Amino acid sequence: AAGRHSEDGVDDDVDDAELDADAAEEPSQGSQWADCPRDRVHTLIVQQIPSYSSRPYIRDRRELRQKLADGLERKLRGDFCWSLSFAPLFIERLCYEGFLPICTEIAGGTGLYVLLPKLHMRRCILEFANLHVGKSTRKRAGNFSLSVNTAFDRVVSGCIAQHGEDWLHPPMRSVLTTLFGRARARAVAPAAALGVAEGAGATPGGGPPHTAMASFELWDASGELVAGEIGCVNGQCYTSFSGFHSPAASGSGTVQLVLTARVLQRARFAFWDLGQEFEYKTQLGASVLGRAQFLERFRAARAQANDLAAVSEDSALLQPAELLRPHADQHASADAAGAGMTGRAREPAGRGGETARPSKHQRQAREGGGAGAATEFASHTLANGQSQPA
């Protein structure tokens, strides 16, 4: 039987058959873990890496719903939960609830991946009225052009080329590509493909009604991809995941950020979710909200439709000269004032930002256990044959 739907159109009660279907869609772990029961893997991790025992474990999207109803956002100490599930609909649901889905590998080289849903205690956001656009950025912007959702895989590859795999390990890449493909397949209703609800109930193909993966791409005059980012659209909120820029194209990273902000502004987004706070984000005008305040803003924004589908198809509007016209600044200020917003702007996670800092995530993932504990985990489990079922 199909699960019931809550007021937001998302499954309120996920039955066992649906969870079995979720599991069947998951990308596989490394070959040495493929046949190991998940409960055993969970036990090994908790026993050998102490930091995981103190973090909430979320088995699947049904358990996520239960933990949220039980006040997870208030009870969560620190930023991270963890899970062994990489089911696409589970990760999509996490994004819909305001988590950033981060992937880490236990003891690098073991092929055992863990999902770290991150719900920041402090969240960096951009209010479009406060975006700082420097003179040099305005001047350089004319050398580039921006597109939306035309080269998702190439942007992912660019992120890995610049930052290494970081959190974009094989299971996560597989899931993000799957979710992006599903959004594009829903293009028979173009709004749904870009994070806009089609009305009451779940969208075709399953998943939260307002959620879609997205990419923003910056091209130079010769048609080379020189910067870009990937992220998630939930109604009128866009959340940055990771990004890259080419050092050979001077200023391309900042130009991409500024033009992306202007596109979101034109498409009636309420604000831009930039994730973790970093200095380069505040220099662009970003401000920081506490978790409760962010979630209040986020939930209000995700329920509202955006115009990204129409804006992204308007080649004239996507030209830098049009996006950076002074009236765009005035329009942003008026929109922000009308919505009662306060805050400032930023650069997406990935240009030296949140998910582009592998050492930081690795430290956080193993907090309390350290690399030594992770290495011990690998050697102990493999030496004792515990990577195989009993």
Side-chain angles (χ1 to χ4, degrees), residues 137-215:
T137 299
R138 287 184 182 274
K139 183 177 180 180
R140 287 171 173 158
N143 299 320
F144 304 101
S145 60
L146 189 76
S147 62
V148 182
N149 286 343
T150 66
F152 185 88
D153 289 342
R154 290 182 63 184
V155 174
V156 171
S157 296
C159 293
I160 294 172
Q162 182 171 353
H163 308 300
E165 280 193 326
D166 190 8
W167 65 282
L168 286 169
H169 292 290
M172 183 57 66
R173 297 202 300 270
S174 175
V175 170
L176 294 180
T177 300
T178 294
L179 293 175
F180 179 77
R182 286 180 180 174
R184 301 310 295 168
R186 295 197 294 259
V188 281
L194 289 163
V196 183
E198 294 179 311
T203 51
H210 303 273
T211 303
M213 298 301 140
S215 62

Side-chain angles (χ1 to χ4, degrees), residues 126-327:
L126 163 64
E127 310 282 10
F128 301 115
N130 297 318
L131 174 65
H132 172 69
V133 184
K135 291 182 179 179
S136 62
T137 299
R138 287 184 182 274
K139 183 177 180 180
R140 287 171 173 158
N143 299 320
F144 304 101
S145 60
L146 189 76
S147 62
V148 182
N149 286 343
T150 66
F152 185 88
D153 289 342
R154 290 182 63 184
V155 174
V156 171
S157 296
C159 293
I160 294 172
Q162 182 171 353
H163 308 300
E165 280 193 326
D166 190 8
W167 65 282
L168 286 169
H169 292 290
M172 183 57 66
R173 297 202 300 270
S174 175
V175 170
L176 294 180
T177 300
T178 294
L179 293 175
F180 179 77
R182 286 180 180 174
R184 301 310 295 168
R186 295 197 294 259
V188 281
L194 289 163
V196 183
E198 294 179 311
T203 51
H210 303 273
T211 303
M213 298 301 140
S215 62
F216 295 83
E217 307 95 15
L218 190 75
W219 311 84
D220 67 12
S222 66
E224 290 295 316
L225 180 66
V226 293
E229 70 167 76
I230 59 170
C232 179
V233 173
N234 283 289
Q236 288 185 359
C237 178
Y238 169 67
T239 298
S240 289
F241 284 177
S242 188
F244 82 98
H245 71 278
S246 170
S250 179
S252 59
T254 301
V255 170
Q256 181 262 306
L257 294 169
V258 167
L259 295 183
T260 297
R262 290 304 190 216
V263 166
L264 296 173
Q265 170 194 330
R266 291 292 187 94
R268 297 194 304 116
F269 279 71
F271 60 93
W272 186 353
D273 171 20
L274 304 173
Q276 187 166 326
E277 177 184 12
F278 285 103
E279 182 179 0
Y280 73 94
K281 299 178 182 181
T282 58
Q283 288 174 349
L284 279 172
S287 59
V288 176
L289 301 179
R291 180 185 291 157
Q293 187 180 6
F294 167 77
L295 288 174
E296 181 180 6
R297 290 281 306 277
F298 174 78
R299 287 165 181 162
R302 75 181 182 189
Q304 304 300 316
N306 64 64
D307 291 335
L308 187 56
V311 170
S312 65
E313 294 170 359
D314 188 336
S315 58
L317 193 152
L318 290 178
Q319 294 304 310
E322 174 62 24
L323 289 172
L324 295 177
R325 285 175 59 188
H327 79 79

